Each structure stands twice: as C-alpha cells, then as structure tokens.
Coordinates of all heavy atoms in Angstrom, one line a residue:
A27 N 0.8 -1.2 0.0 CA 0.0 0.0 0.0 C 0.9 1.3 0.0 O 0.5 2.3 -0.5 CB -1.0 0.0 1.2
K28 N 2.0 1.2 0.6 CA 2.9 2.3 0.7 C 4.1 2.2 -0.3 O 5.1 3.0 -0.2 CB 3.4 2.5 2.1 CG 2.3 2.9 3.1 CD 2.8 3.1 4.5 CE 1.7 3.4 5.5 NZ 2.2 3.6 6.8
N29 N 4.1 1.1 -1.1 CA 5.2 0.8 -2.0 C 6.6 0.8 -1.3 O 7.6 1.4 -1.8 CB 5.3 1.9 -3.1 CG 4.0 1.9 -3.9 OD1 3.4 0.9 -4.2 ND2 3.5 3.1 -4.3
R30 N 6.6 0.1 -0.2 CA 7.8 0.1 0.6 C 8.3 -1.4 0.9 O 7.5 -2.3 0.9 CB 7.6 0.7 2.0 CG 7.5 2.2 1.9 CD 7.5 2.9 3.3 NE 7.5 4.3 3.2 CZ 8.6 5.1 3.2 NH1 9.8 4.5 3.3 NH2 8.5 6.4 3.1
A31 N 9.6 -1.5 1.0 CA 10.2 -2.8 1.5 C 11.0 -2.4 2.8 O 11.8 -1.5 2.8 CB 11.1 -3.4 0.5
N32 N 10.7 -3.2 3.8 CA 11.4 -2.9 5.1 C 12.3 -4.0 5.5 O 12.2 -5.2 5.1 CB 10.3 -2.7 6.2 CG 9.4 -1.6 5.9 OD1 9.8 -0.5 5.5 ND2 8.1 -1.8 6.2
L33 N 13.3 -3.7 6.3 CA 14.2 -4.7 6.9 C 14.3 -4.4 8.4 O 14.8 -3.4 8.8 CB 15.6 -4.6 6.2 CG 16.6 -5.6 6.7 CD1 16.2 -7.0 6.2 CD2 18.0 -5.3 6.2
Q34 N 13.7 -5.3 9.2 CA 13.8 -5.2 10.6 C 15.0 -6.0 11.0 O 15.2 -7.2 10.8 CB 12.6 -5.8 11.3 CG 12.6 -5.9 12.8 CD 12.6 -4.5 13.4 OE1 11.8 -3.6 13.1 NE2 13.6 -4.3 14.3
M35 N 16.0 -5.3 11.7 CA 17.2 -5.8 12.1 C 17.3 -5.9 13.7 O 17.2 -4.8 14.3 CB 18.4 -5.0 11.6 CG 18.4 -4.9 10.1 SD 19.8 -4.0 9.4 CE 19.5 -2.3 10.1
N36 N 17.4 -7.1 14.2 CA 17.5 -7.3 15.6 C 18.8 -7.9 16.0 O 19.5 -8.5 15.2 CB 16.4 -8.2 16.1 CG 15.0 -7.6 15.9 OD1 14.8 -6.4 16.0 ND2 14.0 -8.4 15.5
S37 N 19.2 -7.8 17.3 CA 20.4 -8.4 17.8 C 21.6 -8.0 16.9 O 22.4 -8.9 16.5 CB 20.3 -9.9 17.9 OG 19.2 -10.3 18.7
L38 N 21.7 -6.7 16.7 CA 22.8 -6.3 15.7 C 24.2 -6.5 16.3 O 24.4 -6.4 17.5 CB 22.6 -4.8 15.4 CG 21.4 -4.5 14.4 CD1 21.0 -3.1 14.5 CD2 21.9 -4.9 13.0
K39 N 25.1 -6.8 15.4 CA 26.5 -7.1 15.7 C 27.4 -6.1 15.0 O 27.0 -5.5 14.0 CB 26.9 -8.5 15.3 CG 26.0 -9.6 15.9 CD 26.4 -10.9 15.2 CE 25.5 -12.1 15.8 NZ 25.8 -13.4 15.1
P40 N 28.6 -5.8 15.5 CA 29.5 -4.9 14.9 C 29.7 -5.3 13.4 O 29.9 -4.4 12.6 CB 30.8 -5.0 15.7 CG 30.3 -5.3 17.1 CD 29.1 -6.2 16.9
E41 N 29.8 -6.6 13.1 CA 30.0 -7.0 11.7 C 28.8 -6.8 10.8 O 28.9 -7.0 9.6 CB 30.4 -8.5 11.7 CG 29.4 -9.4 12.4 CD 29.9 -9.8 13.9 OE1 30.3 -8.9 14.6 OE2 29.8 -11.0 14.2
D42 N 27.7 -6.3 11.3 CA 26.6 -5.8 10.5 C 26.8 -4.4 9.9 O 26.0 -4.0 9.1 CB 25.3 -5.9 11.3 CG 24.9 -7.3 11.6 OD1 25.0 -8.2 10.8 OD2 24.4 -7.5 12.8
T43 N 27.9 -3.8 10.4 CA 28.2 -2.4 9.9 C 28.4 -2.4 8.4 O 29.3 -3.2 8.0 CB 29.4 -1.8 10.7 OG1 29.1 -1.7 12.1 CG2 29.7 -0.5 10.1
A44 N 27.7 -1.6 7.7 CA 27.8 -1.6 6.3 C 26.9 -0.5 5.7 O 26.0 0.0 6.4 CB 27.4 -3.0 5.7
V45 N 27.1 -0.2 4.4 CA 26.1 0.5 3.7 C 25.1 -0.5 3.1 O 25.4 -1.4 2.5 CB 26.7 1.3 2.5 CG1 25.6 2.1 1.7 CG2 27.7 2.3 3.1
Y46 N 23.8 -0.2 3.5 CA 22.7 -1.1 3.0 C 22.0 -0.5 1.8 O 21.6 0.7 1.9 CB 21.7 -1.3 4.2 CG 22.3 -2.3 5.2 CD1 23.3 -1.9 6.1 CD2 21.7 -3.5 5.4 CE1 23.8 -2.7 7.0 CE2 22.2 -4.4 6.3 CZ 23.3 -4.0 7.2 OH 23.7 -4.9 8.1
Y47 N 21.9 -1.3 0.8 CA 21.3 -0.9 -0.5 C 19.9 -1.6 -0.7 O 19.8 -2.8 -0.6 CB 22.2 -1.2 -1.6 CG 23.5 -0.4 -1.6 CD1 24.6 -1.0 -1.0 CD2 23.6 0.8 -2.2 CE1 25.8 -0.3 -1.0 CE2 24.8 1.5 -2.1 CZ 25.9 1.0 -1.5 OH 27.1 1.7 -1.5
C48 N 18.9 -0.8 -1.1 CA 17.7 -1.4 -1.5 C 17.7 -1.8 -3.0 O 18.3 -1.1 -3.8 CB 16.6 -0.3 -1.3 SG 14.9 -0.8 -1.8
N49 N 17.1 -2.9 -3.3 CA 17.0 -3.4 -4.6 C 15.6 -3.7 -5.0 O 14.8 -4.2 -4.2 CB 17.9 -4.7 -4.7 CG 17.7 -5.4 -6.0 OD1 16.9 -6.4 -6.1 ND2 18.4 -5.0 -7.1
A50 N 15.3 -3.6 -6.3 CA 14.0 -4.0 -6.9 C 14.3 -4.7 -8.2 O 15.1 -4.1 -9.1 CB 13.1 -2.8 -7.1
F51 N 13.8 -5.9 -8.4 CA 13.9 -6.6 -9.7 C 12.6 -6.6 -10.4 O 11.5 -6.9 -9.8 CB 14.4 -8.0 -9.4 CG 14.8 -8.8 -10.6 CD1 16.0 -8.5 -11.3 CD2 14.0 -9.8 -11.1 CE1 16.4 -9.2 -12.4 CE2 14.4 -10.5 -12.2 CZ 15.6 -10.2 -12.9
T52 N 12.6 -6.4 -11.7 CA 11.4 -6.2 -12.5 C 11.1 -7.3 -13.4 O 12.0 -8.2 -13.7 CB 11.4 -4.9 -13.2 OG1 12.5 -4.8 -14.1 CG2 11.4 -3.7 -12.3
V53 N 9.9 -7.4 -13.9 CA 9.4 -8.5 -14.8 C 10.2 -8.5 -16.1 O 10.3 -9.6 -16.7 CB 7.9 -8.4 -15.1 CG1 7.6 -7.1 -15.9 CG2 7.3 -9.6 -15.7
D54 N 10.8 -7.4 -16.5 CA 11.6 -7.4 -17.7 C 13.1 -7.6 -17.4 O 14.0 -7.2 -18.2 CB 11.4 -6.1 -18.5 CG 11.6 -4.8 -17.7 OD1 11.7 -4.9 -16.5 OD2 11.7 -3.8 -18.3

C-alpha cells in the first residue's frame, strides 16, 4: 500500500556495519 520494503534488524552485531542498499527486480 505504501510501495515500501522494510528490513527489521534485531540483535545487531558490529559485523553488520555496512552501507545497506535497496534493490528491486522487475518483470523485464
């Protein structure tokens, strides 16, 4: 409904440190 994709991250660790990129793959 809001055209969104979410990522809930729990129990985070130092090794999770990064730049996080959103991706969308299309029918074509």
